[in-house]
Amino acid sequence: MVVSNLFQSSRPVTINWTPWSRSKQLASTFAYSLNLPQNSSVSDLCFRLHRYNFNRAPSIKAFKSVLERDVVEEEEMTITPAIRISERKLVVKNRTILTGVPDNVIATSASTCGPVEGVFVGAFFDGSNSRQVVSLGTLRDVRFMACFRFKLWWMAQKMGDKGSDIPMETQFLLVETKDGSHLDESQTVYTVFLPLIEGPFRACLQGNANDQLELCLESGDCDIKSSSFTHSLFISAGTDPFATITDAIRAVKFHLKTFRQRHEKKLPQIVDYFGWCTWDAFYQEVTQEGVESGLESLAAGGAPPKFVIIDDGWQSVSGDAQENVDASETKFPPLARLTGIKENSKFQNKDDPAAGIKSIVNIAKEKYGLKYVYVWHAITGYWGGVRPGGDFESTVKFPAISKGVVENEPTWKSDVMAVQGLGLVDPKSVYRFYSELHGYLAKAGVDGVKVDVQCILETLGGGLGGRVELTRQYHQALDLSVARNFPDNGCIACMSHNTDALYCSKQAAVVRASDDFYPRDPVSHTIHIAAVAYNSVFLGEFMQPDWDMFQSLHPAAEYHASARAISGGPVYVSDGPGKHNFDLLKKLVLPDGSILRARLPGRPTSDCLFSDPARDGISLLKIWNMNKYTGVLGIYNCQGAAWNSVARKNTFHQTQSNAITGFIRGRDVHVISEAACDPDWAGDCVIYCHHSGDLIRLPHNIVLPVTLKVLEHELYTVTPVKVLAPRFDFAPLGLIDMYNAGGAIEGLIYEVKGGSRLLELGNGYGGEGLSVENLSQETVGLVRMEVKGCGRFGAYSSVKPRRCTVGSVDCDFVYDSSSGLVSLNLDYMPEEGQTVHIIEVEV
């Protein structure tokens, strides 16, 4: 057997490791020749030898003969990687994903990156260049979901079934296959493609007209070139889509060692409170007086914000001097640049100008009880950067936009930033810049920053080491400054959807999930909900996605508000002062300003991952999340508008029907079993419908139909049923007038009592059909719950409770025997010194 056929042979083989151990010097030589680490495994080298052009490494022949001599054929062991390139095919768990893989594409085992099935992919080129594109093979007859950048700043989702459907600037690709030989044909395999950072190059995916999947590599600097890449793409696979993605990102983290995952980062406390942002209320005309009026009107209506984001409009900026320029000849006014780190005159108190922004910070915290104040700034200081000639060694640089971005967003050719340039602080001085800016803000009592315009860095790397290096330097400086000045990790990343930034993110724990909420753009609202959900599949592995502000009096307010409630991220509005819907806000906000936040990033259900709820005319979008003891499902009709690949912008399109019917089931909440308090749980759930108030018990795998028109939605609380004894079942729901009712339940204990023994005798119980009542003197079970907040509390019980108590005091309750709904009122927030109510239900 020859080495080049090692992975094509159908006969079992093993590797004799002894000569390998004896030949360390030879091993190092070949590892170097193949661009492998010197401690690479034999399988890594065999894989590379199989894909390598032997003429390029003069010592390959000698090593080949040594290796051939020590390949021992054995019947009892087979080396067959689950993911491999074989016979010019990418094979994943015996499913062929790509065909016609070129010979210059190579694969390297990911065995050193933890217990994950995957390979790294790279390619060799004939010549060096700063931009390289290689076909990875033909992709057909699959279903995929891609997250791609339709703008420089933002990603959106795209679904398809062949290579030509994959947009340029695809940064995440999930492929579904159902056929195969060694697995049951009904079992789905999910393959995730993650284009990576390799050295100074950043990779992305794209399709071409021949259905080929292409890998594009760019340095962002015409002087930084390469012809060989080994770890530019990671491919992994599994049978659980969400676990497969998490495991793949973890393997990439072990390989790159440049970022941390969401669960490893400190979440700032703003995510657990209701907030207000000044942007849509004032835009850049925000003033200190405006901020105070907004805080006052929200607090007066019973929805007190506990954090505020003072958005763009507080800084000291001005445009460049326009000497001897005819205004009629300029398309844009001068692009504003930062002139200093302090606030502008709008935020200087007339009675005490020296107090600066500290004045409104003190008012917010001392007068209105806010816990946190954030302010906005661009990663480069301002939209036009920092004005040259100051203390931070900035120079005007003109963005060089990558081909893929320009293809998707042609308006960049004439954008004001591209035309007038941006004042970029020298990377060597950027930590001092951030440290002085953030130090000034922290001293004034500011708790964090929303750092915007982040993707612009990728366009400014020419002459500075390239896009990856410039991004890395800026983010390292930003992370250090945030850690030093804002101990609650107060940072929101915004306009930051490029992998240059994601793969160097060690500190920031909150990221804006999509393009803005646009109150005046009717085409944007269904698009927004779809985009935040699908983008969170990828972004949620790095940070907690922030689904953006909204306005509570907007025509689509309920649509947006319900989505924010199940997003798992911060909840905040951008209402103008006095323009609020407090009935809606009270479904989000408790009287103390806290919210009922779900535990994970909200994401589409597994059966929605590859359907297109914005374009296909037949699909509803289902979004799932988890609380401690319940799940939550949001169902949305997002049809009728999407990014138009021809017009290169978001547009309306004709829908096939006025309303769409879909189906929900308990297991749509992907990890609902984690909320079950019984190891033998049978899969039955109760589902509470927020709008109708209906409570339905759904046996395992039984579906419930849902019909919605465009811009309509529904929310469901989903709770596993606990069987206390035969016909004695219970499931808590939470504060059922809140959008995320189950988020109120902080503790849950079931206790089976002696009355359950009477069931064996058949005595002491009355009722027919669904209605059962315990008429004996013995309690069958006791349910003890810890509940935060106040309002109407609900639970499911298959029998009428004998007794309900709140804080050991008997309370009135209502029982609906037709549905099993038990409800009682929590009239007040928990008493001072306590964080929860103790509710006990006896059955």
Side-chain angles (χ1 to χ4, degrees):
M1 179 186 298
V2 296
V3 173
S4 60
N5 291 326
L6 182 60
F7 283 95
Q8 298 180 20
S9 172
S10 60
R11 303 192 63 183
V13 299
T14 59
I15 303 297
N16 184 336
W17 288 76
T18 307
W20 178 253
S21 302
R22 291 197 306 261
S23 306
K24 292 183 179 179
Q25 184 176 0
L26 187 59
S28 298
T29 300
F30 287 102
Y32 178 80
S33 299
L34 297 172
N35 290 321
L36 282 171
Q38 294 189 9
N39 61 351
S40 297
S41 67
V42 172
S43 60
D44 289 340
L45 285 175
C46 291
F47 225 91
R48 188 60 55 81
L49 284 165
H50 176 60
R51 306 297 303 167
Y52 198 87
N53 180 347
F54 290 134
N55 294 330
R56 299 184 60 169
S59 53
I60 288 290
K61 185 175 181 181
F63 178 69
K64 179 181 172 186
S65 64
V66 172
L67 191 57
E68 286 177 353
R69 201 165 54 240
D70 293 296
V71 173
V72 182
E73 296 185 1
E74 292 182 353
E75 293 298 327
E76 65 273 12
M77 179 178 178
T78 302
I79 299 177
T80 306
I83 303 173
R84 63 192 186 277
I85 295 176
S86 176
E87 298 178 340
R88 300 192 65 196
K89 297 175 183 178
L90 174 67
V91 180
V92 176
K93 293 182 178 291
N94 287 357
R95 289 131 161 99
T96 297
I97 307 296
L98 298 173
T99 59
V101 178
D103 289 333
N104 66 322
V105 173
I106 60 172
T108 304
S109 169
S111 59
T112 60
C113 296
V116 62
E117 292 181 325
V119 296
F120 291 98
V121 174
F124 291 99
F125 299 88
D126 291 335
S128 292
N129 211 325
S130 60
R131 184 177 188 269
Q132 302 276 18
V133 178
V134 62
S135 168
L136 300 174
T138 301
L139 179 70
R140 291 188 180 125
D141 302 322
V142 298
R143 294 204 302 169
F144 73 76
M145 187 273 284
C147 290
F148 76 103
R149 285 196 298 166
F150 72 104
K151 293 183 179 180
L152 174 69
W153 324 106
W154 304 115
M155 292 191 299
Q157 78 284 356
K158 180 70 165 63
M159 288 73 173
D161 57 15
K162 57 186 180 300
S164 58
D165 294 333
I166 296 176
M168 301 188 82
E169 280 296 316
T170 290
Q171 302 186 122
F172 170 86
L173 180 65
L174 186 66
V175 174
E176 176 197 64
T177 51
K178 291 190 174 183
D179 59 326
S181 56
H182 81 295
L183 292 175
D184 185 276
E185 288 188 1
S186 65
Q187 190 171 23
T188 302
V189 169
Y190 302 93
T191 305
V192 59
F193 292 73
L194 297 174
L196 304 178
I197 303 299
E198 184 172 1
F201 282 77
R202 173 259 188 186
C204 66
L205 297 169
Q206 59 195 37
N208 66 26
N210 297 319
D211 288 336
Q212 291 175 330
L213 177 64
E214 295 179 335
L215 182 67
C216 176
L217 303 118
E218 297 173 293
S219 72
D221 186 332
C222 61
D223 293 326
I224 295 180
K225 304 177 181 180
S226 184
S227 62
S228 63
F229 304 87
T230 60
H231 289 70
S232 297
L233 172 69
F234 182 67
I235 304 174
S236 186
T239 55
D240 179 321
F242 303 107
T244 298
I245 295 165
T246 298
D247 290 345
I249 297 292
R250 183 186 299 113
V252 169
K253 178 189 69 177
F254 288 146
H255 165 65
L256 290 177
K257 298 179 174 61
T258 56
F259 69 95
R260 293 192 294 163
Q261 291 177 271
R262 170 180 49 84
H263 64 272
E264 299 172 307
K265 298 177 179 178
K266 173 181 170 57
L267 268 179
Q269 290 301 302
I270 62 166
V271 298
D272 291 315
Y273 292 96
F274 173 62
W276 178 60
C277 179
T278 63
W279 181 243
D280 291 313
F282 300 108
Y283 298 110
Q284 292 172 326
E285 303 306 313
V286 61
T287 63
Q288 177 168 314
E289 293 75 20
V291 173
E292 185 171 359
S293 64
L295 297 176
E296 181 178 23
S297 71
L298 280 168
K306 291 301 174 183
F307 73 88
V308 64
I309 301 173
I310 301 174
D311 215 293
D312 186 6
W314 70 271
Q315 293 172 287
S316 296
V317 301
S318 69
D320 295 336
Q322 299 289 293
E323 299 178 2
N324 302 319
V325 175
D326 185 348
S328 64
E329 297 178 359
T330 60
K331 184 177 180 180
F332 302 105
L335 181 61
R337 310 192 197 279
L338 193 70
T339 58
I341 62 172
K342 295 185 178 181
E343 66 291 320
N344 59 42
S345 60
K346 295 183 295 178
F347 285 85
Q348 292 175 348
N349 190 308
K350 295 178 181 178
D351 297 328
D352 185 12
I357 201 166
K358 184 176 182 178
S359 177
I360 187 60
V361 172
N362 288 344
I363 290 171
K365 293 184 176 181
E366 296 172 9
K367 186 175 181 180
Y368 297 104
L370 270 72
K371 293 177 176 290
Y372 307 100
V373 175
Y374 280 41
V375 301
W376 177 99
H377 71 78
I379 199 164
T380 52
Y382 201 67
W383 295 98
V386 175
R387 176 181 285 181
D391 297 331
F392 301 107
E393 303 176 46
S394 68
T395 56
V396 174
K397 291 182 66 67
F398 291 86
I401 312 299
S402 67
K403 181 180 178 181
V405 170
V406 173
E407 284 287 324
N408 289 344
E409 193 181 10
T411 55
W412 254 106
K413 297 175 183 177
S414 57
D415 187 89
V416 62
M417 286 187 182
V419 173
Q420 297 185 21
L422 184 144
L424 184 71
V425 173
D426 189 300
K428 296 177 182 178
S429 302
V430 73
Y431 172 70
R432 182 167 59 88
F433 168 65
Y434 289 144
S435 185
E436 290 189 21
L437 171 61
H438 295 162
Y440 174 75
L441 294 170
K443 189 175 181 180
V446 171
D447 303 284
V449 285
K450 173 183 172 183
V451 184
D452 215 338
V453 203
Q454 293 197 14
C455 286
I456 196 64
L457 293 174
E458 73 177 58
T459 72
L460 303 172
L464 294 171
R467 55 185 291 171
V468 173
E469 178 62 17
L470 181 64
T471 300
R472 183 190 64 80
Q473 289 179 302
Y474 262 69
H475 277 274
Q476 282 185 348
L478 179 64
D479 285 354
L480 286 171
S481 182
V482 167
R484 176 181 178 183
N485 292 289
F486 306 124
D488 191 45
N489 199 21
C491 183
I492 301 172
C494 191
M495 300 176 78
S496 59
H497 287 190
N498 64 358
T499 46
D500 310 59
L502 290 175
Y503 287 127
C504 70
S505 170
K506 290 189 173 182
Q507 187 76 18
V510 178
V511 59
R512 270 280 308 281
S514 78
D515 201 351
D516 291 6
F517 165 76
Y518 292 109
R520 302 172 187 173
D521 183 7
V523 77
S524 68
H525 302 296
T526 55
I527 292 172
H528 187 101
I529 301 304
V532 291
Y534 285 98
N535 286 344
S536 292
V537 173
F538 181 43
L539 294 175
E541 298 297 329
F542 300 89
M543 307 179 214
Q544 178 61 55
D546 166 5
W547 290 14
D548 201 17
M549 64 195 92
F550 69 100
Q551 291 184 325
S552 68
L553 265 183
H554 193 275
E558 285 254 4
Y559 194 75
H560 283 281
S562 62
R564 304 312 190 273
I566 65 173
S567 71
V571 175
Y572 55 111
V573 295
S574 54
D575 294 352
K579 300 177 181 179
H580 316 290
N581 180 344
F582 287 109
D583 289 337
L584 179 149
L585 291 177
K586 288 175 182 178
K587 298 177 184 180
L588 288 166
V589 191
L590 294 171
D592 64 354
S594 65
I595 62 171
L596 304 181
R597 186 173 69 87
R599 298 171 61 202
L600 302 171
R603 287 162 289 180
T605 58
S606 58
D607 59 342
C608 286
L609 285 172
F610 304 98
S611 60
D612 192 342
R615 298 176 178 88
D616 67 12
I618 59 173
S619 300
L620 298 176
L621 170 62
K622 298 186 290 184
I623 301 170
W624 70 276
N625 211 326
M626 281 292 295
N627 301 303
K628 286 184 178 179
Y629 300 100
T630 70
V632 61
L633 273 176
I635 322 297
Y636 297 83
N637 188 327
C638 301
Q639 299 287 344
W643 185 77
N644 187 316
S645 60
V646 177
R648 304 296 181 182
K649 63 179 181 179
N650 290 326
T651 61
F652 285 116
H653 57 258
Q654 189 66 38
T655 55
Q656 297 180 12
S657 60
N658 187 41
I660 295 174
T661 297
F663 301 90
I664 63 169
R665 66 188 78 199
R667 64 181 176 87
D668 282 339
V669 179
H670 193 71
V671 289
I672 190 62
S673 61
E674 293 182 3
C677 296
D678 188 341
D680 299 320
W681 177 58
D684 291 6
C685 292
V686 292
I687 293 183
Y688 180 80
C689 176
H690 176 78
H691 280 141
S692 69
D694 292 338
L695 179 61
I696 300 166
R697 179 166 177 162
L698 278 184
H700 178 59
N701 262 356
I702 299 300
V703 300
L704 179 71
V706 182
T707 301
L708 298 172
K709 297 178 181 179
V710 173
L711 272 175
E712 289 185 343
H713 74 284
E714 185 54 272
L715 284 184
Y716 296 91
T717 298
V718 182
T719 309
V721 172
K722 169 68 175 179
V723 178
L724 295 166
R727 301 181 74 185
F728 280 69
D729 305 334
F730 194 91
L733 299 170
L735 296 178
I736 55 179
D737 293 325
M738 304 288 283
Y739 284 127
N740 182 25
I745 304 171
E746 294 286 338
L748 174 62
I749 297 175
Y750 291 106
E751 186 177 347
V752 178
K753 295 290 190 177
S756 61
R757 295 193 301 269
L758 295 176
L759 295 175
E760 300 175 5
L761 304 176
N763 297 325
Y765 301 95
E768 297 180 356
L770 295 176
S771 179
V772 179
E773 186 172 357
N774 183 354
L775 302 177
S776 76
Q777 299 300 311
E778 295 285 342
T779 298
V780 171
L782 176 68
V783 184
R784 186 178 190 272
M785 295 162 284
E786 297 178 354
V787 179
K788 67 178 289 188
C790 60
R792 192 162 60 112
F793 176 82
Y796 164 79
S797 179
S798 62
V799 300
K800 182 178 179 180
R802 295 161 52 89
R803 180 186 182 212
C804 293
T805 64
V806 177
S808 301
V809 178
D810 283 8
C811 68
D812 294 332
F813 65 90
V814 176
Y815 181 68
D816 181 351
S817 60
S818 63
S819 67
L821 178 64
V822 182
S823 59
L824 56 88
N825 289 322
L826 301 173
D827 295 323
Y828 306 101
M829 294 290 287
E831 295 180 0
E832 187 174 350
Q834 298 180 347
T835 58
V836 293
H837 297 284
I838 306 298
I839 300 176
E840 291 187 348
V841 178
E842 290 184 18
V843 294

Coordinates of all heavy atoms in Angstrom, one line a residue, residues 123-134 198-202 215-229 232 403 465-467:
A123 N -5.5 25.8 1.2 CA -5.2 25.6 -0.2 C -3.8 26.2 -0.6 O -3.3 27.1 0.1 CB -6.2 26.3 -1.1
F124 N -3.2 25.7 -1.7 CA -2.0 26.2 -2.2 C -2.3 26.8 -3.6 O -3.1 26.3 -4.3 CB -0.9 25.1 -2.4 CG -0.4 24.6 -1.1 CD1 -0.9 23.4 -0.5 CD2 0.6 25.3 -0.4 CE1 -0.4 22.9 0.7 CE2 1.1 24.8 0.8 CZ 0.6 23.6 1.3
F125 N -1.6 28.0 -3.8 CA -1.8 28.7 -5.1 C -0.5 28.8 -5.8 O 0.6 28.7 -5.2 CB -2.3 30.1 -4.8 CG -3.7 30.1 -4.1 CD1 -3.8 30.0 -2.7 CD2 -4.9 30.1 -4.8 CE1 -5.0 30.0 -2.1 CE2 -6.1 30.1 -4.2 CZ -6.2 30.0 -2.8
D126 N -0.5 29.0 -7.1 CA 0.7 29.1 -7.9 C 1.5 30.4 -7.6 O 2.7 30.4 -7.7 CB 0.3 29.1 -9.4 CG -0.2 27.8 -9.8 OD1 0.2 26.8 -9.2 OD2 -1.0 27.7 -10.8
G127 N 0.8 31.4 -7.2 CA 1.5 32.7 -6.9 C 1.0 33.4 -5.7 O -0.2 33.1 -5.3
S128 N 1.8 34.2 -5.1 CA 1.3 35.0 -3.9 C 0.5 36.2 -4.3 O 0.7 36.8 -5.4 CB 2.5 35.5 -3.1 OG 3.3 34.4 -2.6
N129 N -0.5 36.5 -3.5 CA -1.4 37.6 -3.7 C -2.0 38.0 -2.4 O -2.0 37.3 -1.4 CB -2.5 37.3 -4.8 CG -2.9 38.5 -5.6 OD1 -2.9 39.6 -5.1 ND2 -3.2 38.3 -6.8
S130 N -2.6 39.2 -2.4 CA -3.2 39.7 -1.2 C -4.7 39.3 -1.1 O -5.4 39.4 -0.1 CB -3.2 41.3 -1.1 OG -3.8 41.8 -2.2
R131 N -5.2 38.8 -2.3 CA -6.5 38.2 -2.3 C -6.5 37.0 -3.2 O -6.0 37.0 -4.3 CB -7.5 39.2 -3.0 CG -9.0 38.7 -3.0 CD -9.9 39.8 -3.5 NE -11.3 39.4 -3.3 CZ -12.0 38.7 -4.3 NH1 -11.5 38.4 -5.4 NH2 -13.3 38.4 -4.0
Q132 N -7.0 35.9 -2.6 CA -7.0 34.6 -3.2 C -8.4 34.0 -3.2 O -9.1 34.1 -2.2 CB -6.0 33.6 -2.6 CG -4.5 34.1 -2.5 CD -3.8 33.8 -3.8 OE1 -4.4 33.6 -4.9 NE2 -2.5 33.8 -3.8
V133 N -8.8 33.3 -4.2 CA -10.0 32.6 -4.3 C -9.8 31.2 -4.8 O -9.2 31.1 -5.9 CB -11.1 33.4 -5.2 CG1 -12.4 32.6 -5.2 CG2 -11.3 34.8 -4.6
V134 N -10.4 30.2 -4.1 CA -10.2 28.8 -4.6 C -11.6 28.2 -4.5 O -12.4 28.4 -3.5 CB -9.2 28.1 -3.8 CG1 -9.6 28.0 -2.3 CG2 -8.9 26.7 -4.3
E198 N -6.4 33.4 9.3 CA -5.1 32.7 9.3 C -4.0 33.7 9.0 O -3.9 34.3 7.9 CB -5.1 31.6 8.2 CG -3.8 30.8 8.2 CD -3.9 29.6 7.3 OE1 -4.9 29.4 6.6 OE2 -2.9 28.9 7.3
G199 N -3.2 33.9 10.1 CA -2.2 34.9 10.0 C -2.8 36.3 9.7 O -3.8 36.7 10.3
P200 N -2.3 37.0 8.7 CA -2.9 38.3 8.4 C -4.1 38.2 7.4 O -4.6 39.3 7.0 CB -1.7 39.0 7.7 CG -1.0 38.0 7.1 CD -1.1 36.7 7.9
F201 N -4.5 37.0 7.1 CA -5.6 36.9 6.2 C -6.9 36.5 6.9 O -6.9 35.8 7.8 CB -5.3 35.8 5.1 CG -4.4 36.2 4.0 CD1 -3.0 36.4 4.3 CD2 -4.8 36.6 2.8 CE1 -2.1 36.8 3.3 CE2 -4.0 37.0 1.8 CZ -2.6 37.1 2.1
R202 N -8.0 37.0 6.3 CA -9.4 36.7 6.8 C -10.1 36.0 5.7 O -10.0 36.4 4.5 CB -10.1 37.9 7.3 CG -11.6 37.8 7.6 CD -12.4 38.2 6.5 NE -13.8 38.3 6.8 CZ -14.8 38.5 6.0 NH1 -14.5 38.8 4.7 NH2 -16.1 38.5 6.3
L215 N -13.7 29.6 -1.4 CA -13.1 30.2 -0.3 C -12.3 31.4 -0.7 O -11.5 31.3 -1.6 CB -12.2 29.2 0.4 CG -11.5 29.6 1.7 CD1 -12.5 29.8 2.8 CD2 -10.4 28.6 2.1
C216 N -12.7 32.6 -0.1 CA -12.0 33.8 -0.5 C -11.1 34.3 0.7 O -11.6 34.3 1.8 CB -13.0 34.9 -0.8 SG -12.3 36.5 -1.2
L217 N -9.9 34.6 0.4 CA -8.9 35.0 1.5 C -8.4 36.4 1.1 O -7.9 36.6 0.0 CB -7.8 34.0 1.6 CG -8.2 32.6 1.9 CD1 -7.8 31.6 0.8 CD2 -7.7 32.1 3.3
E218 N -8.4 37.3 2.1 CA -8.0 38.7 1.9 C -7.2 39.2 3.1 O -7.5 38.9 4.2 CB -9.2 39.6 1.7 CG -10.0 39.3 0.4 CD -11.3 40.1 0.4 OE1 -12.1 39.9 1.3 OE2 -11.4 40.9 -0.5
S219 N -6.1 39.9 2.7 CA -5.3 40.6 3.8 C -5.7 42.0 4.0 O -5.4 42.5 5.1 CB -3.8 40.5 3.4 OG -3.5 41.4 2.4
G220 N -6.3 42.7 3.0 CA -6.6 44.1 3.2 C -5.4 45.0 3.0 O -5.5 46.2 3.3
D221 N -4.3 44.4 2.6 CA -3.1 45.2 2.3 C -2.4 44.6 1.1 O -2.0 43.5 1.1 CB -2.2 45.2 3.5 CG -1.0 46.1 3.4 OD1 -0.5 46.4 2.3 OD2 -0.4 46.5 4.5
C222 N -2.3 45.4 0.0 CA -1.7 44.9 -1.2 C -0.3 44.4 -1.1 O 0.2 43.7 -2.0 CB -1.9 46.0 -2.3 SG -1.0 47.5 -2.0
D223 N 0.4 44.8 0.0 CA 1.8 44.4 0.2 C 1.9 43.1 1.0 O 3.0 42.6 1.1 CB 2.6 45.5 0.8 CG 2.8 46.7 -0.1 OD1 2.9 46.5 -1.3 OD2 2.8 47.8 0.4
I224 N 0.8 42.7 1.5 CA 0.8 41.4 2.4 C 0.2 40.3 1.5 O -1.0 40.3 1.2 CB 0.0 41.6 3.7 CG1 0.7 42.7 4.5 CG2 -0.1 40.3 4.4 CD1 0.1 43.0 5.8
K225 N 1.0 39.4 1.1 CA 0.6 38.4 0.1 C 1.0 37.0 0.7 O 1.9 36.8 1.5 CB 1.3 38.6 -1.2 CG 1.0 40.0 -1.8 CD 1.8 40.2 -3.1 CE 1.6 41.6 -3.7 NZ 2.3 41.7 -5.0
S226 N 0.3 36.0 0.1 CA 0.7 34.6 0.5 C 0.2 33.7 -0.6 O -0.7 34.1 -1.4 CB 0.1 34.2 1.8 OG 0.5 32.9 2.2
S227 N 0.7 32.5 -0.7 CA 0.3 31.5 -1.7 C -0.1 30.2 -1.0 O -0.5 29.3 -1.7 CB 1.4 31.2 -2.7 OG 2.6 30.7 -2.0
S228 N 0.0 30.1 0.3 CA -0.3 28.8 1.0 C -1.0 29.0 2.3 O -0.7 29.9 3.0 CB 1.0 28.0 1.3 OG 1.8 28.7 2.2
F229 N -2.1 28.3 2.4 CA -3.0 28.4 3.6 C -3.3 27.0 4.1 O -3.6 26.1 3.2 CB -4.2 29.2 3.3 CG -4.0 30.5 2.7 CD1 -3.8 30.7 1.3 CD2 -3.9 31.6 3.5 CE1 -3.5 32.0 0.8 CE2 -3.7 32.9 3.0 CZ -3.5 33.1 1.6
S232 N -7.6 27.8 7.1 CA -8.5 29.0 6.8 C -10.0 28.7 6.9 O -10.8 29.6 6.9 CB -8.2 29.4 5.3 OG -6.9 29.9 5.2
K403 N -14.0 43.5 -2.3 CA -14.9 43.2 -3.5 C -16.2 42.6 -3.1 O -17.3 43.0 -3.6 CB -14.2 42.2 -4.4 CG -15.0 41.9 -5.7 CD -14.2 41.0 -6.6 CE -15.1 40.6 -7.8 NZ -14.3 39.7 -8.7
G465 N -0.2 46.6 8.4 CA -0.2 45.2 8.7 C -1.4 44.4 8.2 O -1.5 43.2 8.5
G466 N -2.4 45.1 7.6 CA -3.5 44.4 7.0 C -4.7 44.5 8.0 O -4.7 45.0 9.1
R467 N -5.9 44.1 7.5 CA -7.1 44.2 8.2 C -7.2 43.5 9.5 O -7.7 44.0 10.5 CB -8.3 43.8 7.3 CG -8.2 42.4 6.7 CD -9.3 42.0 5.7 NE -10.6 41.9 6.4 CZ -11.7 41.8 5.7 NH1 -11.7 41.8 4.4 NH2 -12.9 41.7 6.4

